[in-house]
Amino acid sequence: DTGVSQNPRHKITKRGQNVTFRCDPISEHNRLYWYRQTLGQGPEFLTYFQNEAQLEKSRLLSDRFSAERPKGSFSTLEIQRTEQGDSAMYLCAGGTHYGYTFGSGTRLTVV
Amino acid sequence: DAKTTQPNSMESNEEEPVHLPCNHSTISGTDYIHWYRQLPSQGPEYVIHGLTSNVNNRMASLAIAEDRKSSTLILHRATLRDAAVYYCILRDGGTYKYIFGTGTRLKVLA
């Protein structure tokens, strides 16, 4: 148990459909990150929350991507009108200024 | 973006020490150096972090150069379970963004 749970573990969707992923950190995790990782690459930053406030979002992220963290608890990442290039592992990390714990990720395949 | 440079891959024999290098010449004075590792099909796992002094924990040691432009992660006795991709990470100056590179894939030989 890493303390950060992500659901679903796998998602296959047709191009053009919307998908939503969920991340559940532990209650002590006031900070939360979303990253995206493609095969052979390191994780790429998507967005950062401190409590419920989204303080930073990657410039590379298109407006098809949106994330929320209501009440500073769980977080959701939605991708609208999915494209094949969105196929990747989506990782969530929760933590404090002492350090971060990653979840096992949601693997998205867009067909 | 904060940039780190690591060798693509390294090999080690089981039970022997491993030194994983990282160059971070653009590091700012207040940035911590973080190391994470990633096993297959898992999210990255925290290993160690430091600012200026060398650091030790139950998993590894971190040796930081005096000018802070490089660091070395030391696994004192590599095991087969240490086979993973090791990432040296800095925060992008003035932002909340932690930048991962492509990491070093460590292979441990039995």
Side-chain angles (χ1 to χ4, degrees):
Chain A
D1 181 8
T2 66
V4 176
S5 175
Q6 290 191 248
N7 288 288
R9 289 297 306 274
H10 303 274
K11 177 72 176 178
I12 300 174
T13 190
K14 290 184 179 179
R15 191 172 49 188
Q17 298 293 304
N18 300 342
V19 294
T20 300
F21 311 139
R22 179 174 170 127
C23 173
D24 285 272
I26 62 175
S27 58
E28 289 83 0
H29 289 165
N30 62 327
R31 301 181 179 195
L32 187 142
Y33 285 87
W34 284 97
Y35 279 82
R36 174 173 64 186
Q37 186 174 26
T38 54
L39 200 61
Q41 301 297 313
E44 174 191 23
F45 170 83
L46 293 180
T47 191
Y48 167 73
F49 288 87
Q50 192 157 311
N51 299 310
E52 68 275 11
Q54 186 176 23
L55 297 185
E56 191 152 4
K57 187 175 175 180
S58 171
R59 293 190 305 268
L60 303 174
L61 211 57
S62 81
D63 56 9
R64 296 184 297 107
F65 287 72
S66 62
E68 294 183 339
R69 194 183 184 199
K71 301 179 183 179
S73 55
F74 70 92
S75 178
T76 58
L77 177 69
E78 181 183 17
I79 309 174
Q80 295 182 327
R81 305 181 303 281
T82 52
E83 302 171 357
Q84 285 190 318
D86 297 331
S87 295
M89 176 74 83
Y90 290 83
L91 293 161
C92 173
T96 69
H97 64 279
Y98 293 112
Y100 297 92
T101 300
F102 280 82
S104 297
T106 294
R107 181 168 295 284
L108 173 67
T109 302
V110 182
V111 297
Chain B
D1 285 0
K3 178 147 179 79
T4 59
T5 305
Q6 300 176 254
N8 287 334
S9 62
M10 292 184 66
E11 281 188 3
S12 172
N13 293 318
E14 201 176 8
E15 305 283 313
E16 291 190 356
V18 183
H19 291 233
L20 298 166
C22 180
N23 288 319
H24 30 76
S25 58
T26 60
I27 192 170
S28 73
T30 57
D31 278 346
Y32 281 80
I33 301 152
H34 302 259
W35 284 81
Y36 280 73
R37 70 181 186 182
Q38 188 171 25
L39 280 65
S41 302
Q42 294 187 25
E45 171 190 29
Y46 170 81
V47 177
I48 200 166
H49 74 283
L51 183 63
T52 55
S53 306
N54 295 342
V55 184
N56 301 293
N57 66 21
R58 63 174 181 81
M59 287 182 72
S61 295
L62 178 60
I64 301 172
E66 199 169 329
D67 64 5
R68 297 198 347 110
K69 294 186 176 182
S70 65
S71 61
T72 301
L73 179 70
I74 302 165
L75 306 179
H76 296 285
R77 290 179 65 208
T79 71
L80 296 177
R81 288 176 296 183
D82 291 322
V85 179
Y86 286 78
Y87 294 101
C88 166
I89 301 156
L90 298 183
R91 194 175 64 159
D92 194 14
T95 77
Y96 296 101
K97 196 191 316 183
Y98 286 91
I99 305 296
F100 287 73
T102 51
T104 297
R105 182 173 298 278
L106 175 66
K107 186 174 181 180
V108 180
L109 305 174

